[in-house]
Amino acid sequence: MRDLIIDLIKNAIDEAKKKGVIPEVVVEDIELERPRRREHGDLATNIALLVASKTGKSPREVAGAIVGFMDKESRLLTDIEVAGPGFINFRFSPRFTRSVLFEIQRKGADFGRSSVGKNRRVQIEFVSANPVGPLHVGHGRWAAFGDALANVMSHAGYRVEREFYINDYGSQMKKFGRSIYARYMELLGKDVVFPADGYAGEYIREIAKRILSERGESFAGLDEKELVEKIIEMEYPVMLESIKKTLNRMGVSFDVWFSERELYLRGEVEKTLKLLEDKGEAYWRDGALWLRTTTYGDEKDRVLIRSNGEPTYFASDIAYHRDKMERGFDLVINIWGADHHGYVPRMKAAMQAMGYDPSRLEVILGQLVKLYRGGEPVTMSKRTGEIITLDELLDEVGVDASRYFFLQRSSDSHLDFDIDLAKKESPENPVFYVQYAHARISSILRYAKEIGADDSTPTEDDLDLLREEVEIDLIKKLGELEEVVEFCAEKRAPHRLTGYAEDLASLFHGFYRDCRVITDDAALTRARIFAVKGVRQVIRIVLGMLGVSAPDEM
RNA sequence: GCCCCCGUAGCUCAACUGGAUAGAGCAACAGACUUCUAAUCUGUAGGUUGCAGGUUCGAGUCCUGCCGGGGGUGCCA
C-alpha cells in the first residue's frame, strides 16, 4: 500500500514537472507518515512542503499541483486532500482497510512479517554473564531485551543467531575460586582472610557448605593454589548450568554458548595478537603489548598484554570479535551494560586495526534496572552481596510480568521496576490488560462454538457490515503490525511492541463494549467472529515476540 | 576536566527521527455489570517539553551555552 501511494506521488510529480507546473528540483525520498489525528487521514506526506522550500512557491500551491496530476481511480483510496500548511492526506477505502483480515487468515503466524532485513545474517550477543554467581535483575532485562530483539528482527526478515559469551577465563574466575576457598576454610575453623575483592554473596557460602558435605575436609590438605584451581574447575560448570536454567525459565535460549577459555586453548588469542603485531598495529612498551587504538580515534592506546605477561580481557575480546567476523555475520550486535560505554571506541578501533569494517559491529548500551517495592527503592549492594537475583524476581512476580516489564522501556533509559504493580492482577497492570484481551476473545470463540454460531469465512459483503468507528479503528490497528515490526527491528526498539500491544488491547476492549460479536444476524456474526480471530492472531504474534504467554482463560 | 545517556502532566513513559491542536497508563475525581469474562469501559481534571539563545515555512526533536540526575574516563572485567 505504501509503495503504491509513493509511486502515485512520484508519477504525479514527474507529470507536474513535465507540464512545468512545478519547477525542476531534486525530489528526495518520499516519506509517508501515519498522522496523529484521525481527521488527517490514514497516511500523509509532507513532500509538497519540502519541494516548496526549494522553489519559493507556496506549499499548498505545490501540493495542489501534485494532487491535480494524481490518478484517483484507485479503488484502495477514497480521498486525497491538501490540508494544513501543505500536507497531502490519503484515506483508505473501508474495503481496503477490512481486507487485512483476509491477509491475517492467509498468513497466520507469519502475518506482519517484513523483508526489510533482506535476509541478512545477524548475531545478537547478550547477557554474557560471568559464571561466578547467579543472574541478577539487570541480566534479566538484557535477557528479555535481547531475546525480544532477536524475535522481532527475525520477523522483520533477518536471519538471527543468539549467542552467550562465557567469561570462563582469567581474574574473575580466580576471584570466584578464592572466595569459595576462603568460605570453605572458614567452615573448617581455619583463620583465613576473605579476599578484599571477593564475591561476598551468601551463595558462595552455600557452595562452600556443599563442598564440605560432599568432599569432607580432605581438601584442606592441598595447598591453596591447587585447591583454588580445583574448586574453579568443579564449580564454574555448576554455576553456568544454573544460569542456563534461569534463562530457560525465562524462555530464553541461545544458539551458541561461546567459551572464552576455548579461545585461549585453541590459541586464537595468541594468533590474533600476533596478527596485530605483524600488521604494526600493536607494539611493545614498558614490558607490555599495546594496541595503537589512537590511530582510529581512541583517546589513548590500550594494553593487550600486561607487563606481568597476562593478557587483558580486551585481548581475548578482540580475538572473540575476530572469530565473529570470520563467521561471516553481516552484522554483530552486542548488548552491554552502560558501564562498558568507554569500551566501545576501543573495540571499534580494534575492529579497524584488524581490517574489518567497524559498522559491522553495533553496540547497544543498556541502562540499569531499579527495583521498587511499596514505592521505595529496593537497596542492593554488590559489595555486601545483597542483591535480588533474577530467580527471586521470577518467583515473586512470574515470568510473563517480568519479561513484559523489562521490555517496556527503551534500552537507553533507566528502568524503574515496580514489583507491586507487576504482581497486580488488575487493569493497571499492562501485562494482564493485554493478556485479558486475548482471553476474552478465546472466551467469545468458545461461546460461539458452544451455541453453534456460524464461524465460516465471511464474504467481502459480510465484512461490509463492519462499519462502526470502533471496529474500523481496531482493524486499522491490525494493519499497522508490519510497520511496527519494521520500526522495532530497525531502531532496535522492541519496547515499542508493548505500546502497540496495549493500543490494540485497548481498541479491542472498546470494541467489546460497543459491539456484540454473537448476534442473531448471521452475516454480521460471521464478520465479527472473523475480525476477532484476526485480533487474537495479532495479539498472539506480538506477545510471542515479547516472550509473554497468551492465555485462553484467566 | 573530558566523553556518553537522560530531563516531557503529581508518578512511569510515548510522540512514527523536523510536521498539523505534545499523547497514553497509573494516581485523583464522577459514572457504567439482567449481557460473548467488570482482570473491562465512559467522562473530568492535569503542560512555558529543565533554562537561555540560535537554525527555518515549522523545533519536544537539530546546533550552542548553562542547570540537574546517572554512567564512563585502569597494565579491572
Side-chain angles (χ1 to χ4, degrees), chain A residues 444-464:
Chain A
I444 294 170
L445 296 176
R446 273 195 303 272
Y447 178 76
K449 195 149 248 157
E450 212 177 289
I451 65 160
D454 178 5
D455 64 350
S456 58
T457 302
T459 62
E460 265 202 332
D461 288 340
D462 291 341
L463 287 193
D464 283 345

Side-chain angles (χ1 to χ4, degrees), chain A residues 18 20 106 126 171 197 210 225 239 246 248 252 276 348 393 416 456 485 496:
Chain A
K18 227 184 274 171
R106 202 169 63 246
F126 58 110
S171 58
D197 61 348
R210 181 166 49 74
K225 208 174 159 203
M239 196 46 90
T246 307
N248 278 339
V252 179
L276 290 169
K348 290 253 183 194
L393 185 78
D416 290 318
S456 58
V485 166
R496 290 282 296 274

Side-chain angles (χ1 to χ4, degrees), chain A residues 145 149 362 364 486-496:
Chain A
F145 181 90
L149 180 62
E362 187 178 311
I364 296 175
E486 288 176 0
F487 181 91
C488 291
E490 294 308 279
K491 303 296 175 190
R492 322 287 187 242
H495 71 285
R496 290 282 296 274

